[in-house]
Amino acid sequence: MAGADGDDSLYPIAVLIDELRNEDVQLRLNSIKKLSTIALALGVERTRTELLPFLTDTIYDEDEVLLALAEQLGNFTMLVGGPEYVHCLLPPLESLATVEETVVRDKAVESLRKISQEHSPVDLEVHFEPLVKRLASGDWFTSRTSACGLFSVCYPRVSSTVKAEIRQHFRTLCSDDTPMVRRAAASKLGEFAKVLELDYVKSDIISLFTALASDEQDSVRLLAVEACVSIATLLPQEDLESLVMPTLRQAAEDKSWRVRYMVADKFSELQKAVGPEITKNDLVPAFQNLLKDCEAEVRAAAANKVKEFCENLPEENREQIIMTHILPCVKELVSDTNQHVKSALASVIMGLSTILGKDNTIEHLLPLFLAQLKDECPEVRLNIISNLDCVNEVIGIRQLSQSLLPAIVELAEDAKWRVRLAIIEYMPLLAGQLGVEFFDEKLNTLCMAWLIDHVYAIREAATCNLMKLVEKFGAEWAQNTIVPKVLGMANDPNYLHRMTTLFCINALSEACGQDITTKQMLPVVLKMSNDQVANVRFNVAKSLQKIGPVLDSNALQTEVKPVLEKLATDTDMDVKYFAQEAISGTRFTLASLHISTKSDLPF
Amino acid sequence: METTKLPPTSPSSPTTSFSVPSAEKVDGFPRRSMRRARQRRSHSSSQFRYQSSQVELTPLPLLKDAPVAELHDLFCKKLQQCCVLFDFLDCVADLKGKEIKRAALNELVESVATSRGVLIEPLYPEAIKMISVNIFRTLPPSENPEFDPEEDEPTLEASWPHLQLVYEFFLRFLESPDFQPSMAKRYVDQKFVLQLLELFDSEDPREREYLKTILHRVYGKLLGLRAYIRKQINNIFLRFIYETEHFNGVAELLEILGSIINGFALPLKAEHKQFLVRVLIPLHTAKSLSIFHAQLAYCVVQFMEKDATVTEYIIRGLLKYWPKTCTQKEVMFLGEIEEILDVIEPSQFIRVQEPLFKQIAACISSPHFQVAERALYFWNNEYILSLIEENCQVILPLVFATLYRVSKEHWNQTIVSLIYNVLKTFMEMNSKLFDDLTASYKVEKQKELKRDRERADLWRGLEEHQDRRMQMLTEAARNQRNLQERGERGDPPTPSSPQTSISDHNEPKPSGASSSSSGGGEGTT
């Protein structure tokens, strides 16, 4: 390694530091992002003795520069000489962990967490832990906030005296004067609990948890709900009732909807954490209340969890609980006043059929599905349709098809193109489940109608949909039902529709195979090369290139080539360009024709 | 809730199944149409939530008819009656009760406002209780998650017919000549104030307007709460800046602060300076700056007028947070800078002129003409012009190159002619310097290019060096591995092999294999 340091003289630190000081922020940012290059040029020793002190001293810069710096320093261990010197990185990161801007601070904490793992246990106590303590007792809230994220990474690897100190610091921050710090502490409570010894979880964490969960600010209380999941997971079952449940019950009935929302949002995790017994006695009624909450936000969050909650109920009385306690609430939600609640429910309600089985589904759930299929809000209908596969497995889709059709037709003609787009995307799935006969009879017209939609995104999706349908139903079906209609559009007076023919051919040629492509599609494409609209003509060129690989060599030579050559002399610049592109592209196919005909043409 | 029906399609449009309804021509994103639907129900209330059994109200005798001896007792009963809450989302529910409460509130308002001697000590806890029960509530979730105060209609509080009277009562109570701060402070305590401040997030501007006046009175009359109020406002702002970016009452709180700053004693306390530097200046970073910028700029200028030494903090702070991409905000910043320069002391101006005029030059070269124009308007301001003239030696070299270049390049003719005027002004101010700069313009440009080339060379060299170095390290690592393998095969392992120990140490590291092995090599040097 001796030779390497010889280069250093080439790059005096002053020049490098000048780069880091450049007046132009962008240049400064670029330099900081290449900090490792600079450090490598300086070598480990000068990085430690010259570069890092400079970085530590000049931390007053644009937040964006600081963010880049905070990130870089997390990967600097090797550049300062490996783990035994890693503590050199602490001073600059400590300053960064105190700046105002949250993203910078968070990044600095992330880097600190990363390099804490590279400290030896001794260094952790000598260098890292004092830093955490300094941050935890900083004047301004930012440093205390940052400290909250660092306790859990050093706790497991320090002596018991230091551990006691860390616990004390965390306790202090949990009752900090500013809500910002209490929020930070509350959000790290679960993580910290995980690294603590069980006795301390019971003695320390529970009291902190209880206090934070009854904080005067709802923004703090709701974070305690998150911690509840981790804490409940750690405790033995017999302690849950006395240590966690009073607080959880209180949170589920908190006067602030934000806290109740959080409970609803974390309900499945909570359910898993507290186990089946408590779920049956406490969580079921709590869940019922959340489903009936006066705030739509809370109801929607709870509705989202209906399926997961039911799935995770203890198997032996699952059906009974759902039928007597959950289903009545679900029935009410189907006609909720708020569309977000209904649509949240619609996205999961189909999942209940697998849990409840065929008879219950037909008797109880089917009316709900049908009601939602007729809902005024398209999102609700879409959510039902997109989950049809769940019901299909249990009762078969035929039960629904009567109601399904009007719903699909209505969505297919919805005034909002995004709704139409969404339903198109479910067409292949529906086609698969409803079968080819039903499809031909009821849905085929819709699929063709989308091809002449006035929104390009719909026409494009419709084209892609046709391809998927052909993949499902086969080339013969395509030849009988789709291809004639698509080719018919080639004579449409609207040039956009004529182009759609070309786009469809592009998409379908491969799925339809050589025979159909050569005999039916190619003549149409070739004929369109005389179209009066240049856009159509250059799309002919593009299509020819695209379907080239599917055609046989004879057709290519005798039919495609002359047309392309003619287009290459077109008056329109773009037509010329794409014709030439196609010629050079197709020539390639000609050369490799032997291989392709021999090996992989399945038709 | 209403359906999201669009306006009916025009009768002329054909009714075949694949025709295009005319409404679709103005097709938007689903979000917006949902928003349209939501706006129709722009009333919301979270008041009537947790009252289980509804009490039937019976009308009480009128206050003005009450004999003096029973007046206080009746007043108290009316206060208690007003603690009953009603459901306003259901507008036909319990109309009689609502009317009784409304009448009682009206009477209470009038009584507090007009008659003397009503406010006796036992009424304080009852009055504050009535106010708390009515106004303190968790604000409902916004009907419109992307509520844009500039574009959207706010959601109005449904229970306003009562709520307004309660606020009115509270205000008259605080403003009454009989009001005794020493008695009130027992009930209007820190917890009360904290809840009051949280209400400033209300989307209903009428409510915020009342809150503003009320908080102002509380701040004025209850001296013991002042520091606490300031601290909690700080917390609200810091949360707004660094956590949520959402709080509806920022403008109202700033308006109160404007008058609070006005009353600060000199010299400024450290607490107040900290508020300026760590709260007011960072507030400029908010996305919704335009809603409260006028109030914010007022506060900032108030600070400067109090104590000129904070000027440098302010200007450097604004320069630090100068908008990078939002031209609308940039124009606001320039407006604020002009307000500041209007009252700046010349000695302070000298301290900040260099960074400031670099930024102004950058604004002049903005391709957005409103930004350039706003910056060039500075030269129309007599006072600023006089400051520029005094410091022409410093400022002209800072802006000259930009003016010269932009005058030749800008797409907008207004800007070009404004620049021409500015250049003329400078020429008149100091023709010698102007000529020198014109002469050296080309040379400077050349120098700049040369510097750019040198920088590119430097970085190229550095990167080549890095590649060489990495290669060397990988080789070293490979050699080391070979050595080790050889050791394992035949020779007894060397007891104190530093390589082994270090590479062991590196093994659990999550970073890529190459860096950890190269690190192992480096550690041994």
Side-chain angles (χ1 to χ4, degrees):
Chain A
M1 213 101 314
D5 281 6
D7 287 1
D8 295 356
S9 55
L10 286 175
Y11 304 110
I13 179 111
V15 176
L16 299 176
I17 283 178
D18 259 2
E19 280 299 292
L20 295 173
R21 270 195 191 128
N22 197 299
E23 252 181 45
D24 185 338
V25 189
Q26 198 50 52
L27 291 176
R28 218 153 61 222
L29 192 58
N30 291 345
S31 317
I32 284 281
K33 285 184 175 158
K34 291 185 202 151
L35 200 60
S36 58
T37 310
I38 293 181
L40 209 56
L42 288 172
V44 291
E45 191 160 340
R46 295 185 66 205
T47 299
R48 288 198 301 266
T49 55
E50 296 175 56
L51 183 63
L52 286 178
F54 162 76
L55 292 173
T56 314
D57 287 343
T58 51
I59 293 184
Y60 178 85
D61 204 334
E62 297 271 340
D63 290 329
E64 212 177 335
V65 176
L66 297 185
L67 175 67
L69 179 59
E71 186 170 9
Q72 290 277 311
L73 290 177
N75 302 317
F76 243 54
T77 311
M78 289 313 150
L79 295 166
V80 293
E84 58 184 306
Y85 295 104
V86 66
H87 59 84
C88 298
L89 298 172
L90 297 179
L93 282 172
E94 181 174 353
S95 316
L96 289 169
T98 63
V99 301
E100 326 276 329
E101 179 49 53
T102 326
V103 268
V104 177
R105 232 182 316 130
D106 287 350
K107 191 52 91 179
V109 170
E110 196 186 311
S111 289
L112 279 169
R113 287 169 71 110
K114 203 165 170 187
I115 63 168
S116 73
Q117 302 309 315
E118 283 153 2
H119 281 70
S120 66
V122 176
D123 280 348
L124 206 61
E125 279 194 29
V126 177
H127 299 287
F128 198 87
E129 202 269 342
L131 169 145
V132 178
K133 269 198 266 183
R134 277 195 302 277
L135 288 176
S137 44
D139 283 339
W140 190 242
F141 79 96
T142 51
S143 68
R144 302 201 297 279
T145 309
S146 295
C148 293
L150 296 173
F151 293 119
S152 65
V153 289
C154 52
Y155 189 85
R157 294 170 60 210
V158 291
S159 67
S160 55
T161 0
V162 181
K163 279 184 175 176
E165 282 174 30
I166 292 180
R167 287 196 305 272
Q168 180 52 43
H169 277 291
F170 192 79
R171 256 200 305 276
T172 316
L173 293 182
C174 282
S175 53
D176 196 274
D177 202 25
T178 71
M180 287 79 81
V181 177
R182 292 203 302 280
R183 278 194 287 275
S187 68
K188 299 293 177 194
L189 184 64
E191 177 189 295
F192 189 55
K194 282 185 192 155
V195 298
L196 246 58
E197 298 80 356
L198 184 60
D199 282 345
Y200 291 120
V201 173
K202 288 188 197 171
S203 60
D204 285 29
I205 295 290
I206 293 298
S207 64
L208 297 175
F209 167 62
T210 317
L212 290 168
S214 42
D215 195 274
E216 58 189 10
Q217 304 229 332
D218 59 2
S219 53
V220 180
R221 293 202 299 277
L222 66 87
L223 290 168
V225 175
E226 253 183 311
C228 187
V229 177
S230 323
I231 295 172
T233 322
L234 295 170
L235 291 173
Q237 190 70 32
E238 64 268 22
D239 289 327
L240 283 177
E241 179 53 44
S242 59
L243 297 180
V244 176
M245 285 317 289
T247 311
L248 181 56
R249 274 187 214 113
Q250 176 196 322
E253 288 169 5
D254 198 282
K255 66 178 192 298
S256 164
W257 62 270
R258 290 187 191 86
V259 180
R260 300 197 304 275
Y261 172 89
M262 201 61 165
V263 175
D265 195 49
K266 298 272 167 235
F267 217 83
S268 307
E269 287 96 324
L270 288 167
Q271 184 187 11
K272 280 183 204 137
V274 299
E277 213 32 51
I278 295 180
T279 297
K280 213 165 57 190
N281 300 333
D282 275 278
L283 293 195
V284 171
F287 194 59
Q288 284 176 292
N289 285 336
L290 292 171
L291 288 174
K292 288 186 221 151
D293 198 277
C294 56
E295 268 331 326
E297 254 77 358
V298 181
R299 290 199 302 278
N304 254 323
K305 302 286 164 187
V306 163
K307 180 192 157 208
E308 227 176 315
F309 180 75
C310 294
E311 243 169 16
N312 295 329
L313 284 170
E315 196 119 0
E316 65 270 18
N317 34 25
R318 182 161 75 185
E319 191 176 322
Q320 179 256 328
I321 294 176
I322 298 175
M323 295 307 292
T324 49
H325 299 290
I326 307 297
L327 203 61
C329 303
V330 169
K331 279 183 183 158
E332 275 176 49
L333 290 182
V334 168
S335 49
D336 199 276
T337 48
N338 184 292
Q339 62 181 24
H340 298 290
V341 177
K342 287 187 290 188
S343 112
L345 182 70
S347 67
V348 298
I349 190 173
M350 310 289 268
L352 291 180
S353 44
T354 20
I355 307 173
L356 288 177
K358 188 171 178 181
D359 294 339
N360 281 325
T361 301
I362 292 176
E363 190 183 342
H364 298 283
L365 292 177
L366 199 58
L368 304 182
F369 301 157
L370 296 177
Q372 292 216 299
L373 268 180
K374 295 193 189 93
D375 198 276
E376 65 194 16
C377 166
E379 208 179 317
V380 175
R381 284 174 268 150
L382 268 178
N383 280 347
I384 290 288
I385 291 177
S386 62
N387 286 299
L388 279 175
D389 45 340
C390 314
V391 205
N392 197 20
E393 287 161 21
V394 183
I395 57 168
I397 209 162
R398 288 281 161 184
Q399 296 266 12
L400 276 173
S401 55
Q402 243 359 57
S403 312
L404 209 47
L405 194 64
I408 293 172
V409 172
E410 205 178 318
L411 288 169
E413 292 161 15
D414 196 280
K416 291 184 203 67
W417 67 266
R418 278 164 198 267
V419 174
R420 300 200 296 277
L421 187 63
I423 188 74
I424 294 176
E425 273 157 20
Y426 296 122
M427 271 327 219
L429 178 84
L430 285 169
Q433 286 171 359
L434 292 165
V436 66
E437 260 170 61
F438 186 89
F439 183 87
D440 278 346
E441 194 180 320
K442 315 275 187 190
L443 300 178
N444 197 15
T445 18
L446 288 180
C447 291
M448 301 314 292
W450 281 318
L451 289 175
I452 51 168
D453 197 282
H454 73 292
V455 175
Y456 176 73
I458 300 296
R459 297 196 298 274
E460 192 188 26
T463 313
C464 179
N465 174 45
L466 287 188
M467 181 179 79
K468 288 186 190 148
L469 290 174
V470 174
E471 278 166 5
K472 225 174 206 100
F473 294 151
E476 197 184 324
W477 174 82
Q479 192 171 9
N480 295 329
T481 49
I482 292 185
V483 174
K485 289 186 194 164
V486 167
L487 297 181
M489 280 163 61
N491 302 318
D492 198 287
N494 185 335
Y495 85 99
L496 290 173
H497 298 170
R498 299 201 294 279
M499 293 222 292
T500 307
T501 300
L502 292 172
F503 297 146
C504 286
I505 288 173
N506 294 349
L508 296 175
S509 62
E510 202 169 318
C512 286
Q514 196 184 54
D515 195 45
I516 298 178
T517 308
T518 316
K519 289 196 180 129
Q520 299 188 18
M521 295 179 175
L522 184 60
V524 176
V525 179
L526 294 174
K527 205 178 126 207
M528 288 169 86
S529 68
N530 298 317
D531 200 285
Q532 53 180 352
V533 178
N535 296 47
V536 177
R537 294 201 301 279
F538 75 63
N539 271 299
V540 166
K542 279 168 143 185
S543 287
L544 287 174
Q545 181 176 3
K546 177 95 194 172
I547 64 173
V550 188
L551 298 170
D552 65 54
S553 61
N554 187 29
L556 269 179
Q557 280 298 2
T558 58
E559 299 182 64
V560 175
K561 211 174 165 201
V563 170
L564 281 178
E565 277 164 357
K566 198 187 89 195
L567 288 173
T569 60
D570 199 278
T571 47
D572 187 276
M573 207 168 78
D574 296 317
V575 178
K576 255 192 232 170
Y577 170 79
F578 284 109
Q580 269 148 15
E581 283 282 289
I583 290 170
S584 54
T586 315
R587 211 172 269 152
F588 171 73
T589 353
L590 287 175
S592 60
L593 205 64
H594 299 298
I595 309 152
S596 64
T597 37
K598 251 184 254 162
S599 60
D600 55 25
L601 279 181
F603 312 105
Chain B
M1 200 165 169
E2 301 87 338
T3 56
T4 56
K5 274 199 196 97
L6 287 158
T9 56
S10 68
S12 65
S13 75
T15 45
T16 50
S17 53
F18 304 117
S19 69
V20 180
S22 65
E24 206 177 346
K25 299 255 163 60
V26 286
D27 200 356
F29 300 99
R31 213 191 297 131
R32 189 169 300 155
S33 53
M34 271 181 217
R35 183 188 293 186
R36 212 179 299 145
R38 266 194 236 110
Q39 273 173 6
R40 256 177 252 170
R41 202 195 77 187
S42 60
H43 284 280
S44 169
S45 170
S46 50
Q47 233 190 358
F48 180 74
R49 303 276 146 134
Y50 293 96
Q51 210 170 30
S52 42
S53 61
Q54 193 63 347
V55 212
E56 186 89 359
L57 289 192
T58 43
L60 294 164
L62 292 180
L63 277 174
K64 65 174 168 28
D65 300 338
V68 181
E70 289 165 28
L71 180 71
H72 289 124
D73 193 39
L74 184 61
F75 197 94
C76 195
K77 276 191 183 137
K78 297 231 171 202
L79 283 173
Q80 282 160 1
Q81 200 168 46
C82 291
C83 287
V84 177
L85 301 181
F86 291 92
D87 181 2
F88 273 87
L89 285 181
D90 179 359
C91 52
V92 290
D94 202 1
L95 286 175
K96 189 166 142 268
K98 283 178 187 165
E99 178 52 30
I100 293 170
K101 177 169 170 181
R102 198 193 60 80
L105 281 168
N106 258 330
E107 267 193 282
L108 289 171
V109 169
E110 203 192 308
S111 171
V112 169
T114 53
S115 37
R116 299 291 309 265
V118 186
L119 287 185
I120 56 164
E121 187 163 6
L123 287 183
Y124 278 73
E126 293 297 330
I128 295 302
K129 185 179 160 219
M130 189 278 281
I131 293 164
S132 306
V133 166
N134 277 283
I135 67 172
F136 294 150
R137 62 211 194 273
T138 307
L139 293 169
S142 182
E143 290 287 309
N144 177 355
E146 292 104 34
F147 175 63
D148 176 353
E150 285 200 306
E151 295 221 343
D152 300 330
E153 284 294 312
T155 310
L156 298 177
E157 174 60 48
S159 61
W160 190 243
H162 284 173
L163 203 56
Q164 177 185 12
L165 292 169
V166 176
Y167 277 123
E168 189 66 37
F169 172 77
F170 192 12
L171 189 59
R172 298 300 168 101
F173 175 75
L174 290 166
E175 286 175 347
S176 160
D178 292 341
F179 179 78
Q180 296 280 333
S182 56
M183 284 176 206
K185 74 177 180 201
R186 251 174 285 161
Y187 312 106
V188 181
D189 55 4
Q190 296 194 345
K191 190 159 187 284
F192 183 94
V193 166
L194 185 65
Q195 296 182 80
L196 195 68
L197 283 167
E198 276 170 13
L199 290 175
F200 274 83
D201 194 21
S202 168
E203 221 173 271
D204 192 330
R206 302 169 300 182
E207 179 167 20
R208 295 202 304 270
E209 193 58 32
Y210 264 110
L211 286 164
K212 185 178 75 187
T213 325
I214 285 168
L215 185 67
H216 206 173
R217 296 288 172 275
V218 171
Y219 191 88
K221 303 215 166 175
L222 299 170
L223 307 186
L225 286 172
R226 286 185 172 184
Y228 184 79
I229 292 176
R230 287 198 305 269
K231 198 172 85 186
Q232 293 308 328
I233 294 182
N234 263 354
N235 286 343
I236 288 177
F237 283 169
L238 288 169
R239 178 168 188 223
F240 170 74
I241 301 166
Y242 295 115
E243 294 183 14
T244 58
E245 283 224 23
H246 176 88
F247 193 83
N248 289 314
V250 176
E252 284 81 3
L253 289 176
L254 282 170
E255 213 176 313
I256 299 171
L257 283 166
S259 66
I260 292 178
I261 295 165
N262 215 344
F264 280 163
L266 283 173
L268 286 179
K269 281 199 236 163
E271 177 215 325
H272 302 325
K273 282 193 188 163
Q274 175 164 303
F275 169 66
L276 170 71
V277 176
R278 309 195 101 155
V279 181
L280 282 187
I281 301 293
L283 262 181
H284 286 84
T285 58
K287 203 163 58 188
S288 51
L289 178 68
S290 60
I291 294 155
F292 55 83
H293 183 248
Q295 289 84 348
L296 180 58
Y298 178 78
C299 285
V300 168
V301 174
Q302 284 295 305
F303 258 111
M304 273 184 57
E305 297 211 69
K306 274 275 158 192
D307 179 356
T309 60
V310 299
T311 311
E312 197 174 343
Y313 292 124
I314 293 174
I315 301 265
R316 288 193 187 272
L318 287 178
L319 292 175
K320 180 179 173 190
Y321 295 126
W322 202 271
K324 301 275 186 303
T325 53
C326 180
T327 47
Q328 192 203 357
K329 267 176 81 173
E330 221 174 340
V331 173
M332 284 186 253
F333 269 56
L334 285 165
E336 185 169 348
I337 292 283
E338 180 159 5
E339 276 182 58
I340 289 168
L341 291 180
D342 259 333
V343 295
I344 199 168
E345 282 191 10
S347 60
Q348 296 295 328
F349 180 80
I350 291 167
R351 302 170 78 112
V352 294
Q353 57 182 354
E354 219 179 297
L356 178 62
F357 275 82
K358 276 182 193 159
Q359 182 58 58
I360 292 175
C363 292
I364 291 174
S365 63
S366 166
H368 196 299
F369 80 98
Q370 282 177 338
V371 174
E373 188 180 53
R374 189 68 194 82
L376 289 164
Y377 279 164
F378 284 10
W379 273 264
N380 296 346
N381 182 313
E382 291 281 319
Y383 182 63
I384 298 177
L385 201 61
S386 74
L387 289 169
I388 294 176
E389 185 157 18
E390 272 168 48
N391 301 285
C392 192
Q393 283 291 347
V394 183
I395 292 173
L396 184 51
L398 290 173
V399 295
F400 180 80
T402 305
L403 290 171
Y404 192 87
R405 182 171 53 80
V406 178
S407 72
K408 296 203 155 44
E409 286 174 3
H410 208 283
W411 62 272
N412 183 297
Q413 279 313 304
T414 321
I415 299 302
V416 174
S417 61
L418 279 170
I419 290 187
Y420 180 73
N421 288 339
V422 170
L423 283 170
K424 214 172 79 186
T425 322
F426 272 127
M427 217 182 327
E428 285 157 10
M429 270 180 201
N430 191 336
S431 60
K432 163 116 189 14
L433 180 59
F434 191 90
D435 292 343
D436 288 351
L437 288 168
T438 320
S440 60
Y441 178 78
K442 285 240 164 65
V443 184
E444 287 296 324
K445 264 263 171 295
Q446 289 302 321
K447 271 192 203 159
E448 209 175 291
L449 283 174
K450 188 161 165 264
R451 271 199 301 276
D452 285 349
R453 263 202 309 279
E454 280 170 3
R455 172 174 311 111
D457 287 345
L458 170 71
W459 280 104
R460 201 174 315 118
L462 276 174
E463 265 147 35
E464 278 165 17
H465 174 256
Q466 181 181 17
D467 291 346
R468 270 204 309 282
R469 186 83 175 225
M470 290 314 256
Q471 215 174 344
M472 223 141 55
L473 291 172
T474 345
E475 243 164 63
R478 196 184 311 130
N479 289 341
Q480 195 181 316
R481 219 170 21 246
N482 289 344
L483 262 173
Q484 270 172 359
E485 274 166 18
R486 219 169 295 148
E488 275 155 24
R489 237 178 286 134
D491 316 325
T494 41
S496 63
S497 160
Q499 289 95 331
T500 332
S501 70
I502 284 164
S503 55
D504 276 355
H505 203 99
N506 283 331
E507 217 161 339
K509 250 193 37 124
S511 61
S514 71
S515 82
S516 81
S517 61
S518 68
E522 189 145 356
T524 57
T525 47

